[in-house]
Amino acid sequence: MRFNMKGKVKWFNKNKGYGFIITDDNKEYFVHWKSIVTNSPRELKVLEQDELVTFDLMETDKGIQAINIIRVNP
């Protein structure tokens, strides 16, 4: 596992609840809506294209994916 990584949202499908984050070294990581951290349980767990985020990586049976995704406020 790797922690405290930074990247930006390449794309995120709000209807399907998943997308990809891309890092500065052009590596892409899958993101699922359940892995997005929000300030409130009522806040929607969605991401916007090109939004900056921090995240951790976790090995799953489907490969490495981003977890603990937190928006970086500009």
Side-chain angles (χ1 to χ4, degrees):
M1 258 174 67
R2 290 183 59 192
F3 298 99
N4 297 324
M5 298 193 59
K6 293 180 181 174
K8 74 175 181 177
V9 179
K10 182 173 182 182
W11 62 268
F12 188 83
N13 185 314
K14 293 176 180 145
N15 294 327
K16 295 185 177 178
Y18 69 88
F20 284 87
I21 293 171
I22 190 164
T23 57
D24 287 340
D25 58 0
N26 282 329
K27 291 190 176 162
E28 293 183 23
Y29 298 104
F30 176 83
V31 52
H32 190 270
W33 70 270
K34 289 182 181 177
S35 297
I36 300 169
V37 177
T38 57
N39 294 323
S40 156
R42 293 186 176 154
E43 191 177 337
L44 285 177
K45 293 190 174 200
V46 296
L47 298 170
E48 299 295 332
Q49 185 173 333
D50 296 327
E51 188 170 29
L52 297 176
V53 294
T54 62
F55 59 98
D56 301 328
L57 291 177
M58 183 177 79
E59 182 77 47
T60 71
D61 55 349
K62 295 180 181 176
I64 297 173
Q65 75 178 50
I67 59 167
N68 302 328
I69 300 136
I70 300 173
R71 290 182 174 94
V72 177
N73 293 328

